[in-house]
Short mmCIF file of all heavy atoms in Angstrom, two decimals:
data_model
loop_
_atom_site.label_atom_id
_atom_site.label_comp_id
_atom_site.label_asym_id
_atom_site.label_seq_id
_atom_site.Cartn_x
_atom_site.Cartn_y
_atom_site.Cartn_z
N LEU A 16 6.03 -16.30 17.25
CA LEU A 16 6.70 -15.01 17.13
C LEU A 16 6.13 -14.00 18.14
O LEU A 16 4.95 -13.68 18.11
CB LEU A 16 6.54 -14.47 15.71
CG LEU A 16 7.27 -13.16 15.37
CD1 LEU A 16 8.77 -13.32 15.53
CD2 LEU A 16 6.92 -12.71 13.95
N PRO A 22 13.73 -7.79 15.99
CA PRO A 22 14.70 -6.69 16.13
C PRO A 22 14.02 -5.35 16.31
O PRO A 22 12.96 -5.08 15.73
CB PRO A 22 15.48 -6.75 14.80
CG PRO A 22 15.34 -8.17 14.34
CD PRO A 22 13.97 -8.59 14.78
N ASP A 28 9.73 0.24 12.68
CA ASP A 28 9.10 0.28 11.36
C ASP A 28 7.60 0.02 11.48
O ASP A 28 6.79 0.64 10.78
CB ASP A 28 9.72 -0.77 10.44
CG ASP A 28 11.09 -0.36 9.90
OD1 ASP A 28 11.43 0.83 10.04
OD2 ASP A 28 11.80 -1.22 9.35
N GLY A 49 -14.71 5.32 0.77
CA GLY A 49 -14.67 5.06 2.21
C GLY A 49 -16.05 5.12 2.84
O GLY A 49 -16.39 4.30 3.71
N VAL A 52 -18.23 1.90 1.76
CA VAL A 52 -17.90 0.64 2.44
C VAL A 52 -18.27 0.70 3.92
O VAL A 52 -18.66 -0.32 4.51
CB VAL A 52 -16.40 0.30 2.24
CG1 VAL A 52 -15.48 1.21 3.05
CG2 VAL A 52 -16.16 -1.16 2.62
N GLU A 64 -17.75 -5.81 17.49
CA GLU A 64 -16.42 -6.28 17.87
C GLU A 64 -15.32 -5.26 17.64
O GLU A 64 -14.34 -5.22 18.38
CB GLU A 64 -16.07 -7.55 17.08
CG GLU A 64 -16.96 -8.73 17.39
CD GLU A 64 -16.64 -9.91 16.50
OE1 GLU A 64 -16.12 -9.73 15.38
OE2 GLU A 64 -16.92 -11.05 16.94
N ALA A 65 -15.43 -4.45 16.61
CA ALA A 65 -14.33 -3.56 16.22
C ALA A 65 -14.87 -2.31 15.57
O ALA A 65 -15.95 -2.30 14.99
CB ALA A 65 -13.37 -4.29 15.28
N GLY A 70 -15.94 6.16 11.94
CA GLY A 70 -17.26 5.53 12.01
C GLY A 70 -18.08 6.03 13.17
O GLY A 70 -19.15 5.47 13.46
N VAL A 78 -14.55 -8.81 10.92
CA VAL A 78 -14.35 -9.02 9.48
C VAL A 78 -14.83 -7.81 8.68
O VAL A 78 -14.21 -7.43 7.68
CB VAL A 78 -15.05 -10.30 8.99
CG1 VAL A 78 -14.37 -11.54 9.54
CG2 VAL A 78 -16.54 -10.31 9.33
N ALA A 119 -9.88 -9.66 19.97
CA ALA A 119 -9.15 -10.52 20.89
C ALA A 119 -8.80 -9.85 22.22
O ALA A 119 -8.34 -10.52 23.14
CB ALA A 119 -7.88 -11.01 20.22
N SER A 147 6.53 -12.46 -11.85
CA SER A 147 5.61 -13.24 -12.68
C SER A 147 4.16 -13.04 -12.26
O SER A 147 3.27 -12.91 -13.10
CB SER A 147 5.97 -14.73 -12.61
OG SER A 147 5.00 -15.51 -13.27
N HIS A 154 -2.96 -8.70 -8.89
CA HIS A 154 -2.58 -7.56 -8.05
C HIS A 154 -1.95 -8.11 -6.77
O HIS A 154 -2.60 -8.81 -6.00
CB HIS A 154 -3.83 -6.74 -7.74
CG HIS A 154 -3.54 -5.45 -7.03
ND1 HIS A 154 -4.51 -4.72 -6.38
CD2 HIS A 154 -2.38 -4.76 -6.87
CE1 HIS A 154 -3.97 -3.65 -5.86
NE2 HIS A 154 -2.68 -3.65 -6.14
N PRO A 157 -3.64 -7.62 -2.77
CA PRO A 157 -4.61 -8.55 -2.20
C PRO A 157 -4.21 -10.01 -2.29
O PRO A 157 -4.52 -10.79 -1.39
CB PRO A 157 -5.87 -8.28 -3.03
CG PRO A 157 -5.38 -7.77 -4.34
CD PRO A 157 -4.14 -6.98 -4.01
N ALA A 167 -1.36 -12.03 10.68
CA ALA A 167 -1.52 -11.00 11.72
C ALA A 167 -2.69 -11.33 12.64
O ALA A 167 -2.56 -11.29 13.88
CB ALA A 167 -1.72 -9.63 11.07
N ALA A 168 -3.83 -11.67 12.05
CA ALA A 168 -5.00 -12.02 12.87
C ALA A 168 -4.75 -13.30 13.66
O ALA A 168 -5.11 -13.40 14.84
CB ALA A 168 -6.23 -12.18 11.97
N ALA A 178 -3.21 -24.68 14.02
CA ALA A 178 -4.26 -23.75 13.61
C ALA A 178 -3.72 -22.69 12.66
O ALA A 178 -4.43 -22.26 11.73
CB ALA A 178 -4.87 -23.10 14.85
N SER A 181 -3.70 -24.05 9.25
CA SER A 181 -5.05 -23.99 8.69
C SER A 181 -5.42 -22.58 8.25
O SER A 181 -6.06 -22.38 7.21
CB SER A 181 -6.07 -24.52 9.71
OG SER A 181 -5.91 -25.91 9.89
N GLN A 189 -8.91 -18.19 -0.50
CA GLN A 189 -9.60 -16.94 -0.76
C GLN A 189 -8.74 -15.91 -1.48
O GLN A 189 -9.14 -14.76 -1.66
CB GLN A 189 -10.09 -16.32 0.56
CG GLN A 189 -10.99 -17.23 1.38
CD GLN A 189 -11.26 -16.63 2.75
OE1 GLN A 189 -12.20 -15.88 2.95
NE2 GLN A 189 -10.41 -16.96 3.71
N LYS A 203 -9.79 -0.11 -7.94
CA LYS A 203 -8.51 -0.28 -7.25
C LYS A 203 -8.66 -0.13 -5.74
O LYS A 203 -7.99 -0.82 -4.97
CB LYS A 203 -7.49 0.73 -7.79
CG LYS A 203 -6.07 0.50 -7.25
CD LYS A 203 -5.08 1.43 -7.94
CE LYS A 203 -3.65 1.09 -7.54
NZ LYS A 203 -3.36 1.41 -6.14
N ASP A 247 9.80 -19.27 -7.03
CA ASP A 247 11.06 -19.63 -6.38
C ASP A 247 10.76 -19.93 -4.91
O ASP A 247 10.43 -19.02 -4.16
CB ASP A 247 12.06 -18.48 -6.50
CG ASP A 247 13.39 -18.77 -5.81
OD1 ASP A 247 13.56 -19.90 -5.31
OD2 ASP A 247 14.24 -17.87 -5.77
N CYS A 270 -0.69 9.35 -5.44
CA CYS A 270 -0.92 8.60 -6.66
C CYS A 270 -0.14 7.30 -6.60
O CYS A 270 0.61 7.06 -5.65
CB CYS A 270 -0.50 9.41 -7.89
SG CYS A 270 1.24 9.90 -7.86
N ARG A 286 11.69 23.56 -11.03
CA ARG A 286 12.62 24.38 -10.26
C ARG A 286 13.72 24.93 -11.18
O ARG A 286 14.13 26.09 -11.04
CB ARG A 286 13.23 23.54 -9.14
CG ARG A 286 14.06 24.33 -8.13
CD ARG A 286 14.65 23.40 -7.07
NE ARG A 286 13.60 22.63 -6.40
CZ ARG A 286 13.48 21.29 -6.46
NH1 ARG A 286 14.34 20.60 -7.18
NH2 ARG A 286 12.53 20.68 -5.81
N ARG A 298 7.46 20.06 -25.40
CA ARG A 298 7.56 18.60 -25.49
C ARG A 298 8.01 18.03 -24.14
O ARG A 298 8.86 18.61 -23.47
CB ARG A 298 8.56 18.21 -26.58
CG ARG A 298 8.66 16.71 -26.86
CD ARG A 298 9.64 16.41 -27.98
NE ARG A 298 9.17 16.94 -29.27
CZ ARG A 298 9.73 17.94 -29.91
NH1 ARG A 298 10.77 18.54 -29.39
NH2 ARG A 298 9.24 18.36 -31.06
N ALA A 338 3.39 20.37 -6.97
CA ALA A 338 2.91 19.47 -5.92
C ALA A 338 2.02 18.41 -6.54
O ALA A 338 1.53 18.57 -7.67
CB ALA A 338 2.13 20.24 -4.84
N PRO A 352 -7.41 23.51 -18.78
CA PRO A 352 -6.80 23.42 -20.11
C PRO A 352 -5.28 23.38 -20.08
O PRO A 352 -4.66 22.67 -20.89
CB PRO A 352 -7.30 24.70 -20.81
CG PRO A 352 -8.53 25.09 -20.06
CD PRO A 352 -8.30 24.67 -18.64
N GLY A 384 13.32 26.72 -26.96
CA GLY A 384 14.15 25.64 -27.49
C GLY A 384 15.12 25.04 -26.51
O GLY A 384 15.81 24.06 -26.82
N GLY A 396 10.54 9.52 -0.04
CA GLY A 396 9.83 8.56 0.79
C GLY A 396 10.39 7.17 0.70
O GLY A 396 9.98 6.28 1.45
N ALA A 437 1.38 -0.57 25.79
CA ALA A 437 -0.05 -0.33 26.05
C ALA A 437 -0.76 -1.63 26.43
O ALA A 437 -0.59 -2.64 25.76
CB ALA A 437 -0.70 0.29 24.83
N PRO A 451 -12.93 17.02 15.06
CA PRO A 451 -12.16 18.26 15.26
C PRO A 451 -12.95 19.30 16.02
O PRO A 451 -14.19 19.29 15.95
CB PRO A 451 -11.87 18.72 13.82
CG PRO A 451 -12.94 18.11 13.00
CD PRO A 451 -13.26 16.79 13.64
#
Side-chain angles (χ1 to χ4, degrees):
L16 184 61
D28 284 346
V52 72
E64 296 176 334
V78 291
S147 173
H154 187 196
S181 291
Q189 303 172 89
K203 188 174 187 290
D247 178 4
C270 59
R286 189 181 304 116
R298 185 179 294 111

